[in-house]
Amino acid sequence: METIDKIKQQIEENPILLYMKGSPKLPSCGFSSQASQALMGCGQAFAYVDILQNPDIRAELPKYADWPTFPQLWVEGELIGGCDIIVEMFQKGELQELITEVAARHPQPEGDE
């Protein structure tokens, strides 16, 4: 599968998706840490892709997204933004609202991360 197709599929299949360095529990950079903390603070399940384990995605996603940096938060197929935007939205309460609405539209099977 082409990398771009893989990215499209990941974005399609995961209504809340964070491309980050590391994992939410073990982030590998400060920006990814802040972004995942804000998302976890919303109290809903979300998917993530560790770009350090996926160098092909790390190389291709910035071109596909037209967004040069990581982390990247995608919600229902739309790029929300990076760390600054995620944290700012969280501080204003907008992120919680968005994530809660999206999670309600896409119920997750229990125990699925």
Side-chain angles (χ1 to χ4, degrees), residues 1-51:
M1 182 184 274
E2 289 289 313
T3 302
I4 292 295
D5 293 330
K6 197 188 321 182
I7 290 168
K8 286 179 182 170
Q9 184 180 8
Q10 289 170 339
I11 291 169
E12 234 172 73
E13 290 177 356
N14 298 289
I16 305 166
L17 177 60
L18 184 65
Y19 285 96
M20 63 180 294
K21 293 178 180 175
S23 70
K25 295 200 172 38
L26 282 171
S28 298
C29 89
F31 298 114
S32 289
S33 175
Q34 288 179 47
S36 59
Q37 288 295 320
L39 261 182
M40 288 190 285
C42 296
Q44 301 294 335
F46 64 94
Y48 74 92
V49 174
D50 179 356
I51 59 159

Side-chain angles (χ1 to χ4, degrees), residues 32-103:
S32 289
S33 175
Q34 288 179 47
S36 59
Q37 288 295 320
L39 261 182
M40 288 190 285
C42 296
Q44 301 294 335
F46 64 94
Y48 74 92
V49 174
D50 179 356
I51 59 159
L52 299 177
Q53 302 292 323
N54 297 276
D56 53 336
I57 291 174
R58 184 180 187 175
E60 293 297 322
L61 186 60
K63 291 179 245 176
Y64 174 75
D66 200 19
W67 189 270
T69 58
F70 294 96
Q72 291 185 14
L73 175 62
W74 290 77
V75 175
E76 292 186 321
E78 199 175 305
L79 175 62
I80 301 299
C83 178
D84 292 347
I85 292 169
I86 295 166
V87 170
E88 187 179 313
M89 285 178 71
F90 183 77
Q91 289 168 344
K92 291 180 177 174
E94 295 168 2
L95 188 67
Q96 296 88 321
E97 203 174 299
L98 173 68
I99 297 301
T100 302
E101 283 173 20
V102 170

